[in-house]
Amino acid sequence: MRRLPAYRLMEFRRTMTSYSTVETSKQVLLSTFEHNLPVLPEVRANVNCVEFTTDSDQPLIPIALKAHESFAALKALEGIIAVTLCKKRFGDDKDIKALVNCNHAALFPAMSFLSTVDGMPKWDPEMKQKIKDTDLNQVYSNIYRRMLTSIYRTKDGRFYHLHASLDATPTFQALGLPSYDEEKNEKARAQRAIETITQQLTSDVIDSMIRDIKQAGSPCLTREEFLDSSHGKHISKYIPALKLSPQGPNILSGVKVLDLTRVIAGPVITRTLAEYGAQVMRITNHNLPDQSYYAVDFNFGKRTIDLDLKSPEGRKVFEKLLEDVDVIVDGYRPGAIARLGYGPDDLLKRFAGARGFVYVKESCYGEGGEWSDRPGWQQIADSVSGVSWANGQALGLEEPVPPPFPLADFGAGELGCIATLNALHHRLVKGGSYYTSVSLVKYNDWLMSLGPYPKQLWKTMAKAHGLEDSLKLSHQSNFDEVGLTAITSIQQLYPHLQEDPELMQEATHTHFGAVKTQSPVVRIEPYKTATKGWLNVTRPAGYDLPTGWAVELQ
């Protein structure tokens, strides 16, 4: 992407001076407390403990929706609950603050685009030598199969977002296309082949087919269409209804977390809990596909073990870990963990009041509602909730366009961290066990409810980011293209951010190499979450021996 000339950057900043991301973030934060937020009174009493900072008042993320401010507000809410826990553990008389840099918070969902290994971005071809390949079904390495994850036109003039998930074969077979086609292993040819089929089918027919084979996919709805659907009506109104170690030094010292998640949203929850000193054990199975690309960022602060929960040996190790667990984070398909006998109801019976625990369920569509049993991904949440249509229209197009960065993934991950901290606070004060759920669609619904930026502000932002050319992006611009376009523009407009030691930090000795990643956004002072954020550095899946909780993190 071309470098922006200096006069454009100066014009951008001069035009933006009447808008304040800090003040808007404060307004968004305060508005969250007006909607039956299920927190105890002492959390509300600490609302003024947050200090927002920024070195500029321009929104960083090139989207017309207030994603920048949404993440600043969510990080502030995380900080408020963390401060409340901190005071409960270390004394109410302490003067404790939560510091949130709004720019740092806005870069949170761009984490994977900013991180480097030995100075290389993670999409560099040489990274294949540094990261173990867990793409068992070639949905990332094979371009033809990867292009299944895109928005396609349908027979009735609508748009439908297909998704390869972690195995594209079932959807290809349902469409009557070969699962592999080396003659079409190029983006444009692959997309033409797929869209030739989708344009012979209506959006409803494709959705019925996708639902029948239990794969992820969604029609691209406008905000109005989503809210008019039964699930939209449900999710827009849905509000999800521990005794900690007395030793420090961190707010969650002594808290043991089992991480049963893959890809982004779930691992974001546990990575952030690890920032507060929680002991996180991430469990994966080498027989299941995953995207190891994300392990570089999301395995900071964790031990990682390989277990097959369908085998007697794996279940024995897992049930030993359950004896001392405080938090279980479940990011698998709805009902998958329960079918193994480890769902929240199973654990309530297992512990039978002997001890309390927190169970966090992360999903695409959320609890209840017509679509709650469907699998889904970030791109599907964007399509069904109206975010993709809103982004396309803001770009001057009459078609949906995926938003920059996995906003819904990181948003749901942040909501999951907040919900976990809140449940731990309830357990600390009142005892008992707690279940909470978060979803990608719910974050998107909330983001859409905040409304867009003022038209003139967005016009100025779009011009500065080079988005005034309506041919730059389209409905066939996939996740990678939109994200890389956005991060290139942000780095050109704000070149200092990636070099700021307060925003980025480097772990020089990891299994991957020297990993540069985002540092924790929320700073609790004087009780820093942990030394530079985590108790140990990142590692690949299945790195540690399944020896139980007793092994100290390194």
Side-chain angles (χ1 to χ4, degrees), residues 117 300 507-515 537-539:
V117 178
F300 272 93
T508 54
H509 297 97
T510 81
H511 180 87
F512 304 111
V515 175
V537 297
T538 187
R539 56 198 58 198

Side-chain angles (χ1 to χ4, degrees), residues 44-245:
R44 294 178 182 274
N46 284 323
V47 69
N48 292 323
C49 74
V50 174
E51 291 184 2
F52 288 100
T53 62
T54 188
D55 59 356
S56 66
D57 271 332
Q58 302 96 31
L60 264 62
I61 305 175
I63 187 172
L65 301 173
K66 298 186 180 77
H68 180 124
E69 294 79 2
S70 79
F71 281 100
L74 288 177
K75 282 295 181 183
L77 180 56
E78 171 195 317
I80 291 169
I81 300 175
V83 165
T84 307
L85 275 168
C86 194
K87 287 186 175 183
K88 190 70 177 176
R89 295 194 65 194
F90 303 125
D92 289 333
D93 59 331
K94 304 294 184 182
D95 183 18
I96 306 168
K97 292 287 185 183
L99 307 182
V100 175
N101 181 310
C102 291
N103 282 351
H104 195 177
L107 290 176
F108 182 60
M111 182 184 300
S112 294
F113 290 90
L114 288 169
S115 298
T116 59
V117 178
D118 293 334
M120 293 182 291
K122 290 191 294 181
W123 55 86
D124 191 295
E126 291 189 29
M127 289 295 292
K128 292 180 180 180
Q129 307 303 317
K130 298 178 178 293
I131 301 176
K132 180 181 177 181
D133 184 11
T134 55
D135 183 18
L136 303 184
N137 298 309
Q138 298 183 31
V139 295
Y140 297 98
S141 58
N142 184 289
I143 295 176
Y144 170 71
R145 288 168 70 79
R146 186 175 181 82
M147 285 306 106
L148 187 66
T149 302
S150 192
I151 296 172
Y152 290 98
R153 294 181 186 274
T154 60
K155 182 179 180 180
D156 49 350
R158 303 186 69 186
F159 295 87
Y160 194 92
H161 203 312
L162 295 169
H163 202 290
S165 299
L166 291 171
D167 185 2
T169 297
T171 301
F172 272 124
Q173 290 177 342
L175 291 170
L177 288 167
S179 299
Y180 293 85
D181 192 335
E182 292 307 314
E183 292 183 0
K184 297 181 177 64
N185 201 20
E186 182 269 327
K187 181 197 172 188
R189 296 185 70 185
Q191 288 185 323
R192 280 197 301 270
I194 296 168
E195 193 156 77
T196 296
I197 300 299
T198 63
Q199 287 190 306
Q200 298 174 32
L201 304 169
T202 66
S203 180
D204 288 344
V205 167
I206 296 175
D207 197 48
S208 178
M209 177 182 69
I210 293 297
R211 185 161 194 164
D212 286 345
I213 62 174
K214 300 186 184 332
Q215 294 300 298
S218 168
C220 295
L221 304 181
T222 64
R223 171 70 170 165
E224 293 73 24
E225 288 172 328
F226 172 68
L227 292 178
D228 193 49
S229 70
S230 63
H231 197 83
K233 291 173 183 175
H234 167 78
I235 206 72
S236 63
K237 297 176 182 176
Y238 178 71
I239 300 175
L242 167 154
K243 295 190 177 178
L244 308 181
S245 164

Side-chain angles (χ1 to χ4, degrees), residues 38 40 43 81-82 84-85 88-89 242-245 251-257 269 273-274 276-279 325-329 355-360 416-436:
L40 296 177
V43 172
I81 300 175
T84 307
L85 275 168
K88 190 70 177 176
R89 295 194 65 194
L242 167 154
K243 295 190 177 178
L244 308 181
S245 164
I251 296 169
L252 294 187
S253 290
V255 173
K256 297 179 176 67
V257 180
I269 298 173
L273 295 175
Y276 292 99
Q279 192 172 342
V325 74
D326 296 295
V327 179
I328 301 97
V329 182
R355 59 190 306 271
F357 64 92
V358 175
Y359 196 104
V360 184
C417 174
I418 291 167
T420 305
L421 292 172
N422 187 41
L424 289 171
H425 180 240
H426 273 74
R427 182 178 130 167
L428 179 63
V429 174
K430 302 170 70 173
S433 295
Y434 295 86
Y435 173 84
T436 186

